[in-house]
Amino acid sequence: MRTIKGPALFLAQFMGDAAPFDRLEAIAPWVADCGYVGVQLPSNDARCMDLALAAESDAYCDDLKGLLADHGLVVTELSTHIQGQMIAVHPAVRPLFETFLPEPLRKASDGERLEWATDQLRLAARASRRLGLDASATFSGALLWPMVYPWPQRPAGLVEEGFAELARRWTPILDAYEDAGVDLCYEIHPGEDLHDGASFERFLDAVDHHRRASILYDPSHLLLQQLDYLAFLDIYHDRIRMMHVKDAEFRPDGRSGVYGGYQGWTERAGRFRSLGDGQIDFGAIFSKLAQYDFAGWAVVEWECALKDSAVGAREGAAFVRRHIIPVTGHSFDDFVGGGARDDQRNRRILGL
């Protein structure tokens, strides 16, 4: 059994225009001072990294790792959430995602957008390999999300065709991750076609149970769907290669519940919260992850409608440290162990 690594911080919600959040070399000492030992890098953000260069240059990757090592940090994984989202976008929400694209592609054809996103994922696979990483985070994108509620009744075969198309787009990318020796971890997330266990299973069937098709486990997204986030670990632990440590609360009333009534984050019944301020049982989660020999990183993703991000980040590092279980190397009752197997002795004990 292995001890979970961490704490680490996902930088996507912290990069900005003001120092020290405007470049990796400036934010790194701040992250270390908060108590983290790893960072998860958003690969689309030039303030963090040059993805194309990382895919081709060992020297660049060594410099990147060296910059972080100077502050006691390592890269835990790369994120392609933004690029993965663009692998599949339903026309109804296409304008909402135009800012995810480089300026020249915002009015481009769907085919050109898909080609760009696919290339980005392939670059991230090669960059992960050069950085010595074995897992990467992404979103699946969504062709079916506007039809998530079955009204009006969905035509026969619609869902099957949606997942077949997802598989056609993702299988070559998964093959590239296989070549790189990197697991591609889909964050199970509302708004994506892979938003719960049942939809992940549909996708897994469609990609012929590709061994690189893995899960980024974030219990906050499961709680807000009222899904059993602990049972999820029991069912899918063999596919879970990454985790985001993020809290949430769900407090429905007579006015709104899971769907939120189009309200903002502060008014919704389900809200993301800073670690320790929500309802998620992280003691049970870390216990199950230790039980299932999860070998990855505990990565804090700060998303909270109320608390300041800098406060949440600093509290989050301490929170994760308290919850990581240093796994034991022996059984507590080894001192009265039954000894080596002896079939004759066992039969005598059974009275046989």
Side-chain angles (χ1 to χ4, degrees):
M1 294 175 66
R2 292 160 290 186
T3 297
I4 295 171
K5 298 185 286 287
L9 184 67
F10 186 26
L11 296 187
Q13 285 86 1
F14 292 89
M15 301 307 298
D17 295 329
F21 308 108
D22 55 342
R23 50 200 174 93
L24 186 62
E25 53 266 41
I27 198 174
W30 179 84
V31 171
D33 184 64
C34 286
Y36 294 97
V37 296
V39 289
Q40 187 177 100
L41 298 180
S43 66
N44 65 302
D45 194 328
R47 294 167 296 193
C48 285
M49 66 179 298
D50 184 323
L51 179 59
L53 191 54
E56 303 301 332
S57 172
D58 287 331
Y60 174 80
C61 289
D62 289 343
D63 288 345
L64 179 62
K65 291 188 290 185
L67 184 158
L68 294 171
D70 287 344
H71 302 285
L73 299 170
V74 299
V75 182
T76 64
E77 303 98 358
L78 302 183
S79 155
T80 57
H81 285 86
I82 297 299
Q83 302 98 313
Q85 181 74 65
M86 302 310 296
I87 293 292
V89 178
H90 191 277
V93 293
R94 188 180 294 132
L96 297 175
F97 290 112
E98 287 182 354
T99 57
F100 283 28
L101 294 159
E103 182 69 38
L105 287 173
R106 292 180 183 176
K107 301 303 179 184
S109 68
D110 288 347
E112 290 171 313
R113 295 177 178 195
L114 176 58
E115 182 180 2
W116 171 83
T118 300
D119 182 61
Q120 287 281 297
L121 268 293
R122 292 178 184 275
L123 290 174
R126 299 204 302 273
S128 294
R129 180 178 59 194
R130 291 189 186 279
L131 288 165
L133 308 177
D134 57 12
S136 184
T138 199
F139 277 150
S140 68
L143 299 173
L144 288 163
W145 183 253
M147 280 71 74
V148 67
Y149 195 81
W151 176 258
Q153 189 178 95
R154 293 184 290 249
L158 178 69
V159 172
E160 289 76 8
E161 181 55 31
F163 278 92
E165 181 60 29
L166 270 188
R168 285 190 283 269
R169 298 183 185 196
W170 278 108
T171 297
I173 298 170
L174 287 165
D175 289 343
Y177 278 78
E178 171 64 17
D179 292 342
V182 178
D183 292 321
L184 187 55
C185 304
Y186 296 93
E187 183 167 0
I188 305 302
H189 191 291
E192 311 300 316
D193 281 342
L194 276 59
H195 58 272
D196 59 11
S199 55
F200 177 75
E201 289 175 17
R202 283 184 178 270
F203 179 72
L204 205 56
D205 287 342
V207 296
D208 197 24
H209 291 253
H210 200 292
R211 75 170 188 158
R212 294 298 175 182
S214 304
I215 292 173
L216 189 166
Y217 173 78
D218 183 333
S220 68
H221 301 303
L222 307 183
L223 176 77
L224 297 191
Q225 297 180 69
Q226 290 297 279
L227 191 154
D228 188 333
Y229 56 84
L230 296 178
F232 189 95
L233 288 170
D234 295 328
I235 299 168
Y236 301 109
H237 60 88
D238 285 342
R239 290 277 176 174
I240 294 172
R241 299 287 185 270
M242 292 177 58
M243 73 175 301
H244 277 168
V245 189
K246 190 169 74 198
D247 213 340
E249 62 183 352
F250 182 68
R251 304 181 188 280
D253 58 24
R255 296 180 61 249
S256 70
V258 170
Y259 298 111
Y262 301 109
Q263 298 175 102
W265 279 112
T266 57
E267 291 79 31
R268 293 176 71 91
R271 307 188 293 187
F272 298 122
R273 299 299 310 275
S274 286
L275 286 173
D277 294 343
Q279 298 171 328
I280 292 176
D281 185 351
F282 284 101
I285 287 173
F286 276 83
S287 293
K288 282 189 177 291
L289 289 171
Q291 173 188 343
Y292 291 126
D293 198 24
F294 176 72
W297 283 83
V299 179
V300 172
E301 183 184 28
W302 174 85
E303 290 182 357
C304 184
L306 302 176
K307 183 171 287 184
D308 177 78
S309 60
V311 175
R314 193 170 295 276
E315 291 178 352
F319 184 93
V320 169
R321 287 187 184 278
R322 290 197 304 272
H323 282 82
I324 289 178
I325 299 172
V327 298
T328 180
H330 60 86
S331 176
F332 67 87
D333 56 358
D334 279 352
F335 74 100
V336 289
R341 176 168 175 163
D342 183 332
D343 290 340
Q344 289 185 342
R345 180 171 180 258
N346 289 341
R347 289 183 64 80
R348 288 199 308 272
I349 292 172
L350 293 170
L352 301 174

